Amino acid sequence: MSVRVMSIFGTRPEAIKMAPLVQELSRREGVESLCCVTAQHREMLDSVLNIFKITPDFDLNIMEPGQTLSTITTKCLLGLEKVFAAGKPDLVLVHGDTSTAFSAALAAFYGQIKVGHVEAGLRTYDKYSPFPEEMNRTLVGDMADLHFCPTTANRDNLAREGVTRGVFLTGNTVIDAMATTVRPDFRFSTDLLNHLDYGSQTVILVTCHRRENYGEPMKNIMTALRRLVEAYPQVELVYPVHLSPVVQKAAGEYLGGHERIHLIDPVDVEEMHNLMARCSFVMTDSGGLQEEAPALGKPVLVMRRETERPEAVAAGTVKLAGTGEEDIFALGSELITDKAAYDAMAHAVNPYGDGRACRRIGDAIEYTFGLRDKGPEEFKA
Ligand code: UD1
Ligand code: UDP
C-alpha cells in the first residue's frame, strides 16, 4: 500500500523549502512522490531545481513578464485540472503563501483531493501586508486537511481560528535545506563575491522585492540604503536584485552607479546561503531570509511594517525597521558603528527548525494515510 503525494510549487522560496521534502518523500517506500511546478518563476525556480537535482513530473510554465495575480491564478487553476487528471494524487502539498500555493490548494479542493499545507499558520492579521500573501495563506489554511506548522506560535494562530485537527508541529524545512548548502570552504562563482573583504569591510547583504513595498516604500528603503553607503566608507552593499521588472527599475534608479553598491543578478541558493554566512548583517523584506540569517548568527533588519515571523525578533537577532527612510538609516547606522549593539544581535538562534522538518512531515503523511502507527515527535525549539 502507498500514498500518492504531489508536491506543487512555483517560486524560488517555495522551491528552496520544498526541495528537501521532495527528496525525503521520494526516498520513502510508502510514498509515491510526484512533483509539479507551475513555474510562476522561471529562471529563479530552475536555479533551485538544478542545485537540488529535481526533475519535475509536470511543468505548467506559466510565467510571463509583469504577470498579474489574476493571470497567475487562472493559469494555475486551468493547468492543474489537467495535471490532477493525469497524476491522480491522493494528497497535494503546497507551500506557504504564494499565488501558486493558493491556486494549487483551490484546484485540489475543486478536485476533492486532500491538501497538506507546509509552513502553515503564519499570520500578520493585516489583510494587505504582506500582500497578497496574508490572504493566500489564510485561505490555504481554510482548504487544507493537514497543516505543517514550523513553530508553536504558528500552531497557536491556527488554534485561535478553530483549526486543531491534522495539525503537526514540524519546524521549517528551510533549516533542512541549509544543512546541505552552507560550507566553510565554499567558493563563489564570481570574483566579486570571492574577493570582497568580509573581515574588515562591513558587507551588508540586501534583498527587497515585496509587492506592498512597490512605489513609495521601496523608494524610501533604497534611499536609506544609498545614504548608508555614502555615510560609511567601510560599507559594501551586495544586492542580488529580484528579476521582477518593477524591482529592477527601482534598484537601477535609486542604487545604480555607486562603486560600493553591487547590484548583481540573483544568485543560486548555495551562493546565497554562503554569502549570508560571511556578510556582516542583512537588510531585507524577504520572508525566508528572516529564518535563515538568525540560524547563521547574522543580525537582520526587516524593511517591512510587520512580520509573521516574531520568533527571531523575540530572540533579539531580528529588528523590525519599518519602511521609513529615517528609521532604516538609523538602525543601519547603529549596526555599522555600535559594536555592542551589533554583538547583542549577532548570535545564532534556531527558533525555526532543527533540520528534521521533512522527516516529520513524511511521518505525519504516512500516519494520516494509515501507513504507520505513530505520528512524528513534535519539533521543540
Ligand atoms: C512571488 C510571490 C511572493 C514571493 C516571491 C519570492 C505571489 C503573489 N508572490 O512574488 O510571495 O515572496 O515570489 O521571490 O505569489 N521574474 C522573472 N524570472 C523569474 C522570476 C520572476 O523574470 O525567475 C519576473 C517576471 O517578470 C514576473 C515578475 O518577476 O512576472 C514577478 O514575479 P511574481 O511571481 O509575479 O511576483 P514576485 O514579486 O516574484
Ligand atoms: N535567495 C537566493 N538567491 C537570491 C536571493 C534569495 O537563493 O539571489 C533565496 C534566499 O536565501 C531564501 C529565498 O531565496 O531562501 C527567499 O526568497 P525571496 O526573498 O524571493 O522570497 P520570500 O522568502 O520573501 O517569499
Side-chain angles (χ1 to χ4, degrees), residues 310-344:
E311 296 85 355
V313 178
T317 312
V318 171
K319 272 189 190 164
L320 201 54
T323 57
E325 183 186 324
E326 291 310 324
D327 290 339
I328 295 171
F329 180 76
L331 285 169
S333 296
E334 185 180 52
L335 280 177
I336 295 164
T337 59
D338 183 341
K339 187 169 177 330
Y342 178 89
D343 288 345

Coordinates of all heavy atoms in Angstrom, one line a residue, residues 310-344:
P310 N 7.7 36.4 14.3 CA 8.1 37.1 15.5 C 9.2 36.4 16.4 O 9.8 37.0 17.3 CB 6.8 37.2 16.3 CG 6.0 36.0 15.9 CD 6.4 35.7 14.5
E311 N 9.4 35.1 16.1 CA 10.3 34.3 17.0 C 11.7 34.9 17.0 O 12.3 35.0 18.1 CB 10.3 32.9 16.5 CG 9.0 32.1 16.6 CD 8.1 32.3 15.4 OE1 8.4 33.1 14.5 OE2 7.0 31.7 15.3
A312 N 12.3 35.3 15.9 CA 13.7 35.7 15.9 C 13.7 37.2 16.4 O 14.8 37.7 16.9 CB 14.3 35.6 14.5
V313 N 12.6 37.9 16.3 CA 12.6 39.3 16.9 C 12.6 39.1 18.4 O 13.4 39.8 19.1 CB 11.2 40.0 16.5 CG1 11.2 41.4 17.2 CG2 11.1 40.2 15.0
A314 N 11.8 38.1 19.0 CA 11.9 37.9 20.4 C 13.2 37.4 20.8 O 13.7 37.8 22.0 CB 10.8 36.8 20.8
A315 N 13.9 36.7 20.0 CA 15.3 36.2 20.4 C 16.3 37.3 20.2 O 17.5 37.1 20.7 CB 15.6 35.0 19.5
G316 N 16.0 38.4 19.6 CA 16.9 39.5 19.6 C 17.8 39.6 18.3 O 18.5 40.5 18.2
T317 N 17.7 38.7 17.4 CA 18.5 38.7 16.2 C 17.9 39.5 15.1 O 18.6 39.9 14.2 CB 18.7 37.2 15.7 OG1 19.1 36.4 16.9 CG2 19.8 37.1 14.7
V318 N 16.6 39.7 15.1 CA 15.9 40.4 14.1 C 15.2 41.7 14.7 O 14.7 41.6 15.7 CB 14.8 39.5 13.4 CG1 13.9 40.3 12.5 CG2 15.4 38.4 12.6
K319 N 15.4 42.8 13.9 CA 14.6 44.0 14.3 C 13.7 44.4 13.2 O 14.1 44.4 12.0 CB 15.6 45.2 14.6 CG 16.0 45.2 16.1 CD 16.8 46.4 16.4 CE 17.4 46.3 17.8 NZ 18.5 47.3 18.0
L320 N 12.5 44.9 13.5 CA 11.6 45.4 12.5 C 11.9 46.9 12.3 O 11.7 47.7 13.2 CB 10.2 45.2 13.1 CG 9.0 45.2 12.1 CD1 9.2 44.2 11.0 CD2 7.7 44.9 12.8
A321 N 12.4 47.2 11.1 CA 12.9 48.6 10.8 C 11.8 49.4 10.2 O 11.9 50.6 10.2 CB 14.1 48.5 9.9
G322 N 10.7 48.8 9.7 CA 9.7 49.6 9.0 C 10.1 49.9 7.6 O 11.1 49.4 7.1
T323 N 9.4 50.9 7.0 CA 9.7 51.3 5.6 C 10.0 52.8 5.5 O 10.0 53.4 4.5 CB 8.6 50.9 4.6 OG1 7.4 51.5 5.1 CG2 8.4 49.4 4.5
G324 N 10.2 53.4 6.7 CA 10.6 54.8 6.7 C 12.1 55.0 6.5 O 12.9 54.3 7.1
E325 N 12.4 56.0 5.7 CA 13.9 56.2 5.4 C 14.7 56.5 6.6 O 15.8 55.9 6.8 CB 14.0 57.4 4.4 CG 15.4 57.7 4.0 CD 15.4 59.0 3.1 OE1 14.5 59.3 2.4 OE2 16.5 59.7 3.3
E326 N 14.2 57.4 7.5 CA 15.0 57.7 8.7 C 15.2 56.5 9.6 O 16.3 56.3 10.2 CB 14.3 58.9 9.5 CG 14.4 60.2 8.7 CD 15.7 60.6 8.2 OE1 16.8 60.3 8.9 OE2 15.8 61.2 7.1
D327 N 14.1 55.8 9.9 CA 14.3 54.6 10.8 C 15.3 53.6 10.2 O 16.1 53.0 10.9 CB 12.9 53.9 10.9 CG 11.9 54.8 11.7 OD1 12.4 55.6 12.5 OD2 10.7 54.6 11.6
I328 N 15.2 53.3 8.9 CA 16.1 52.3 8.3 C 17.5 52.8 8.4 O 18.4 52.1 8.8 CB 15.7 52.0 6.8 CG1 14.3 51.4 6.8 CG2 16.7 51.2 6.1 CD1 13.7 51.2 5.4
F329 N 17.7 54.1 8.1 CA 19.1 54.7 8.1 C 19.6 54.6 9.6 O 20.7 54.2 9.8 CB 19.0 56.1 7.6 CG 20.4 56.8 7.7 CD1 21.4 56.5 6.7 CD2 20.8 57.7 8.7 CE1 22.6 57.0 6.7 CE2 22.0 58.2 8.7 CZ 23.0 57.9 7.8
A330 N 18.8 54.9 10.6 CA 19.2 55.0 12.0 C 19.6 53.6 12.4 O 20.6 53.4 13.0 CB 18.1 55.5 12.9
L331 N 18.8 52.6 12.1 CA 19.1 51.2 12.6 C 20.3 50.6 11.9 O 21.1 49.9 12.4 CB 17.8 50.3 12.4 CG 16.7 50.5 13.5 CD1 15.4 49.8 13.1 CD2 17.2 50.1 14.9
G332 N 20.4 51.0 10.6 CA 21.5 50.5 9.8 C 22.8 51.1 10.4 O 23.8 50.5 10.6
S333 N 22.8 52.4 10.7 CA 23.9 53.2 11.2 C 24.4 52.5 12.5 O 25.5 52.4 12.8 CB 23.6 54.6 11.5 OG 23.3 55.3 10.3
E334 N 23.4 52.2 13.4 CA 23.7 51.6 14.7 C 24.5 50.3 14.5 O 25.5 50.1 15.2 CB 22.4 51.3 15.4 CG 22.6 50.8 16.8 CD 21.3 50.6 17.6 OE1 20.4 49.9 17.0 OE2 21.1 51.1 18.7
L335 N 24.0 49.4 13.6 CA 24.7 48.2 13.4 C 26.1 48.4 12.8 O 27.0 47.6 13.1 CB 23.9 47.2 12.5 CG 22.8 46.5 13.1 CD1 22.0 45.7 12.1 CD2 23.3 45.6 14.3
I336 N 26.3 49.4 12.0 CA 27.6 49.7 11.4 C 28.6 50.3 12.4 O 29.8 49.9 12.5 CB 27.5 50.7 10.2 CG1 26.6 50.0 9.1 CG2 28.8 51.1 9.7 CD1 26.1 51.0 8.0
T337 N 28.1 51.1 13.3 CA 29.0 51.9 14.2 C 29.1 51.5 15.6 O 30.0 51.8 16.3 CB 28.6 53.4 14.2 OG1 27.2 53.5 14.7 CG2 28.6 54.0 12.8
D338 N 28.1 50.7 16.1 CA 28.0 50.4 17.5 C 28.2 48.9 17.8 O 27.3 48.1 17.6 CB 26.6 50.9 18.0 CG 26.4 50.7 19.5 OD1 27.2 49.9 20.1 OD2 25.5 51.3 20.1
K339 N 29.5 48.6 18.2 CA 29.8 47.2 18.2 C 29.0 46.4 19.3 O 28.6 45.3 19.1 CB 31.3 47.0 18.6 CG 31.8 45.6 18.5 CD 33.3 45.4 18.6 CE 33.7 44.0 18.6 NZ 32.9 43.0 19.2
A340 N 28.7 47.1 20.4 CA 27.8 46.4 21.4 C 26.4 46.1 20.9 O 25.9 45.0 21.1 CB 27.8 47.3 22.6
A341 N 25.9 47.1 20.1 CA 24.5 46.9 19.6 C 24.6 45.7 18.6 O 23.7 44.9 18.5 CB 24.0 48.1 18.9
Y342 N 25.7 45.7 17.8 CA 25.9 44.6 16.8 C 26.0 43.3 17.5 O 25.2 42.3 17.2 CB 27.1 44.9 15.9 CG 27.3 43.7 14.9 CD1 26.7 43.8 13.7 CD2 28.1 42.6 15.2 CE1 26.9 42.7 12.8 CE2 28.3 41.6 14.4 CZ 27.7 41.6 13.1 OH 27.8 40.6 12.2
D343 N 26.8 43.2 18.5 CA 27.1 41.9 19.2 C 25.8 41.4 19.9 O 25.6 40.2 20.0 CB 28.2 42.1 20.3 CG 29.5 42.2 19.6 OD1 29.6 41.9 18.4 OD2 30.5 42.6 20.3
A344 N 25.0 42.4 20.4 CA 23.7 42.0 21.1 C 22.8 41.3 20.1 O 22.0 40.4 20.5 CB 23.0 43.2 21.6

